[in-house]
Structure formats: structure tokens, C-alpha cells
Amino acid sequence: MGSALATGAAALLPGTHRMAAAAPLPRTLTAGPATVPLVGGKWPDTKVWAYDGVVPGPEMRVVARNHLDQPTTVHWHGIRLPNAMDGVPDLTQEAIPPGGEFTYEFEAVDAGSFWYHPHVNSTEQQDRGLAGALIVEEREPVRVDRDITWVIDDWVLRETAQIDESFGHPMQLSHGGRTGNTVTVNGRIPIEFAVKSGERIRLRLINVANARTFGLKFGSLKPQIIALDGQPVTPHEPAGARVVVAAAQRVDLIIDMSGKPGEKIQVTDDYFSRQTYEFITISHDEGKLLRESPLDAPIALPANPLPEPVVDDQAQRELIVLSGGAMGRMPPGVDNFIQQGQYWFLNDLPDKGREGKPIFAVPKGRTCIIGMVNETGWEHPMHLHGFAFRVLSRNGKPNMRGEWLDTVLVGRGETVEVAFVADNPGDWMFHCHVLEHMAAGMSCFLSVA
């Protein structure tokens, strides 16, 4: 038995009907235990949970089967799709039991870098390796020499190179989430990435870690950001030369490999200044330059067909206050929730305290503006299912870039305002994508009807 997934992934064009003659044929995607050489060298292989035995899971059109000993689902992160296909147990579907099956079918309406992961027991299932890239190609992609995906993850490994199974520890739940001691790119500890001098690469960064935010600096290279969370932006250099990718976010870069033949350039992660480390080495081949000067071709991507929010007096405005956790404001009367492992609150209630009711409802077709106020001691990547939203402002200052995101990082003490058109009916999750925060109460849903 299995989970049939008739949906597009790598090489699927936006708007292509799933039965079109040129569509790739479905194949199976099997979730189950596996061993992979995360650490490599003298270390033993690490036991993980993986799609098709590989971490990260494959980029392709798939049919999935559940061989785990617990229920699961597949959530298609960042994809605008019918509510019934969103993969959220007890909200959009029943969880797929061991040996059960569920058919996911939808049209990919946006091109971009997306990903997939379970939404059942996520703190364990995703951390064991159940995550993979979902790439929807543009009809006319930008011209590059190579299109590369880096699925970035971190793992809590023991000295035996096996996963530490302390999932759901109160410290993880109430503090910054489960952050690992081992970082991988595409399921391996990153060492070197080989390039040619003069080569232009499109690099898709996809952060599938439970909690970690990465802040990558590319040395003397000058990356240009061309998309965020799968949605095109005006090409620009990252602020402070640091490419920030919070949990669940994606960043597409164009990088001209400007090093000399044989030159090695170190990529570092210094998001946490006291924990700076060498992320990967970009090694230029010692042979002949691919080209003497940067490729003369545009790098801007065409916009996806997103409905533009109208920010006026007719827009519905909602305020969501994030509270709780260690060193944060605790709402009154929460002792019972804390005893249930609910440490985080949205508008003074955890997920378990809402009794299955939406945090708010929006009429279909209306512009909705959500203000988020972070009164906690931690940052939170807040993710809305089913929609992309424009980031309008931070701390009361207009966001001039106005980028589209589906996961926005709300810093400590920060206020962020976003807007979207509620054009897709259904009940849609809204939650922190630090998975331990979500599991411990920082989750809700909104209703569009």
C-alpha cells in the first residue's frame, strides 16, 4: 500500500496540466528507515528516515508510499494548491496510517524553489530526514552554466554518528528549538564545491532544518539574490554580504565564479557570531577559464501570477501577538498549558487552547493584513500555508522591497506586517517553522470562505 502523489516536481513547468502529454510519468516515493554517510570517512553510516533511501529526498514527479511505523503526510511547502492537498492532519486530511495511502493532485501555478516534508510528528519525522526539494522550472529560465540545489540541514548526532533521539525535550520546546551539531548539504557534510573560473551558477538554497537559521558569506564572490521563497525579486546583493536563510525559507542566488584558476574561496556561516564556522569551500578548477568576463545575460526572473493585495480601508486587519517561551512574556493563567508542554502562545492561547477554532476568518477575495508582534526572547520564522504574502513593513517602517514570502523571520521584539489576497478557500495553518515551537503551541489556522 502507499501514498500516490500525482504532482509535478523537477522539470515541471507552471501551469502544465498533470495529464499533458509532455508531463513526466509518476514514480514511487517511499518513506522509510535508511542509512546514509552523513559524516563520511571513518565514521559509520547514520540511521535516518528518508524518502527513497536518500537525504534529502529526490526532486521528481512522484508516487509516495508510507513504510514508517507511524502515520505521516506530505506538505508541499510554499505551493499554492487546493486546501485538500495541503497535507495537514486533522485539518485538511486524515493522517496516512502505516500501509495506508493518499493521493495528492494539484497544478503547479508558480515557478520557483519549494520543498516537501511531513506534517505529522514533524519534530521527529523531519529531523530524521524526511524532507526534499520541489523545483518548478520557469518556462524560460535565466541563462546559467549550472542550476544547483543545496538542501541545507543540521542534525543532532552522537559520537557513533547516529541521530540522538531526544526529540521533544522540554529545553528544545521552550528555548530555540532543536539545533544540531552537524550541518549537511544534500545529505553530506559539505567540504568542497568544484567550479570553473568564469562560470555562472544559479544556486538554490533550501533550509530544511528544524530550527537553525543560516547566514552565509561567500568571501570575495558577489552573489545576487533573484528569488525568495520561490518568488522572484529584483536582483540585489544581500545586506551585509550575508545570505540569511531561516528555517523553511529558500533563497535563489546567481553567482559568477570570479576566482582565479586553482583559487579556493571559503563560505562561512556567521549568523551566530560566537559560533562562526567554515560552511563549505568553493574550489576553482586549475584548468582554463570558462570565460574572461561575467556572462552577458539578464538574471531577473519573470513574476509569478500572484494576486496583488490592495492595502486600503477595505482590507481586513488582524494582529497576532507572539508570546511565551523561555525569557518571554507569559500570558496569565497558562500553568495548565505548560503542564501539557505548551510553552508558546499566539494571542495568549496555544494551539491546544483554541479547541479547533480558527484564529480569525477572512471572506474569499478580500485583502488581509496581518501584523505580528514578537514579545518572546527568540526569533520565529512564521509560515502561512496556501499563500504567498507581501512584507509591508518592519517595526513600523515601510519595506521598500516589498518581497513576496511564505515564511517571514520575525526577530526578537520585532513587529512585521504582511498582506495577501485570501483567494483560496479552506482552513490554512499559520505557525512558527521552528518545529519545536509549533509543537509546543505556536500554531493556529485561519479560515477563508
Side-chain angles (χ1 to χ4, degrees):
M1 305 295 288
S3 249
L5 296 156
T7 179
L12 178 66
L13 298 175
T16 301
H17 192 277
R18 66 184 182 89
M19 295 302 291
L25 294 174
R27 55 149 292 172
T28 46
L29 179 75
T30 300
T35 58
V36 297
L38 283 181
V39 180
K42 65 180 181 180
W43 299 99
D45 288 356
T46 301
K47 295 179 180 178
V48 300
W49 287 357
Y51 293 112
D52 284 6
V54 295
V55 171
E59 297 179 18
M60 59 188 66
R61 186 180 176 93
V62 295
V63 175
R65 291 196 172 97
N66 180 13
H67 287 178
L68 302 176
D69 61 1
Q70 59 182 262
T72 193
T73 62
V74 180
H75 168 58
W76 311 94
H77 188 109
I79 296 290
R80 295 188 295 142
L81 40 57
N83 187 247
M85 300 293 105
D86 197 42
V88 180
D90 304 319
L91 187 67
T92 69
Q93 68 171 93
E94 294 183 3
I96 308 166
E101 66 180 27
F102 186 88
T103 301
Y104 292 91
E105 299 178 86
F106 56 86
E107 182 178 338
V109 295
D110 298 328
S113 302
F114 306 100
W115 64 295
Y116 57 95
H117 61 87
H119 237 293
V120 177
N121 190 19
S122 299
T123 56
E124 178 180 1
Q125 292 195 9
Q126 187 174 313
D127 202 58
R128 286 188 182 272
L130 291 182
L134 175 61
I135 306 303
V136 183
E137 296 183 347
E138 298 87 13
R139 292 187 181 277
E140 297 181 4
V142 292
R143 183 183 167 195
V144 295
D145 297 301
R146 283 191 291 165
D147 187 325
I148 302 294
T149 299
W150 285 359
V151 179
I152 308 171
D153 201 355
D154 71 349
W155 310 74
V156 182
L157 298 183
R158 299 174 183 168
E159 293 182 355
T160 58
Q162 303 308 309
I163 294 173
D164 187 303
E165 298 187 349
S166 59
F167 304 106
H169 190 281
M171 182 69 74
Q172 299 171 358
L173 296 174
S174 60
H175 286 65
R178 181 179 167 97
T179 53
N181 54 20
T182 305
V183 169
T184 60
V185 172
N186 296 341
R188 302 292 183 269
I189 292 178
I191 299 175
E192 286 196 354
F193 177 61
V195 302
K196 292 183 180 295
S197 295
E199 184 178 17
R200 174 169 288 182
I201 288 178
R202 177 177 182 170
L203 181 60
R204 303 172 188 259
L205 304 175
I206 302 177
N207 183 355
V208 305
N210 274 33
R212 182 187 294 268
T213 296
F214 294 87
L216 303 183
K217 287 190 172 180
F218 286 79
S220 61
L221 300 175
K222 304 293 184 183
Q224 293 279 318
I225 296 174
I226 62 168
L228 296 168
D229 285 358
Q231 303 301 334
V233 297
T234 300
H236 62 278
E237 294 185 7
R242 178 192 289 119
V243 179
V244 175
V245 196
Q249 289 186 328
R250 290 86 64 211
V251 179
D252 284 35
L253 304 172
I254 293 291
I255 309 178
D256 288 309
M257 297 302 169
S258 56
K260 299 178 180 178
E263 183 178 355
K264 296 181 183 295
I265 297 176
Q266 189 63 54
V267 180
T268 58
D269 178 5
D270 70 349
Y271 189 76
F272 301 102
S273 58
R274 296 182 179 180
Q275 301 175 22
T276 299
Y277 65 96
E278 296 180 350
F279 182 81
I280 197 171
T281 299
I282 294 179
S283 299
H284 292 72
D285 187 272
E286 294 183 356
K288 185 179 178 181
L289 279 76
L290 187 63
R291 58 178 59 89
E292 296 286 345
S293 57
L295 182 66
D296 184 16
I299 60 174
L301 294 168
N304 284 319
L306 295 166
E308 186 67 47
V310 179
V311 181
D312 59 13
D313 292 341
Q314 301 302 311
Q316 179 171 328
R317 295 179 179 267
E318 301 288 344
L319 180 66
I320 298 181
V321 178
L322 288 58
S323 61
M327 300 175 285
R329 179 184 71 82
M330 282 290 180
V334 298
D335 291 348
N336 183 52
F337 290 127
I338 292 176
Q339 291 175 8
Q340 300 176 55
Q342 299 282 280
Y343 300 100
W344 301 94
F345 306 89
L346 298 175
N347 289 352
D348 290 351
L349 281 176
D351 184 39
K352 290 184 178 179
R354 298 187 190 282
E355 299 178 347
K357 297 178 181 178
I359 193 167
F360 61 82
V362 190
K364 182 183 177 183
R366 191 173 187 182
T367 292
C368 180
I369 301 171
I370 302 177
M372 289 166 273
V373 180
N374 185 357
E375 297 184 353
T376 80
W378 306 88
E379 62 182 19
H380 302 281
M382 300 301 296
H383 172 51
L384 176 61
H385 287 213
F387 301 91
F389 48 72
R390 276 207 186 276
V391 180
L392 300 180
S393 68
R394 287 185 180 269
N395 299 322
K397 297 181 179 180
N399 177 31
M400 303 309 294
R401 202 175 300 283
E403 65 272 14
W404 292 96
L405 300 176
D406 57 63
T407 307
V408 62
L409 187 62
V410 185
R412 291 179 292 180
E414 192 172 31
T415 298
V416 176
E417 195 174 46
V418 304
F420 67 99
V421 177
D423 62 340
N424 199 351
D427 293 335
W428 299 100
M429 275 195 80
F430 180 68
H431 64 90
C432 177
H433 223 287
V434 172
L435 298 180
E436 288 71 29
H437 294 177
M438 178 184 70
M442 193 168 278
S443 178
C444 63
F445 72 92
L446 56 91
S447 182
V448 176

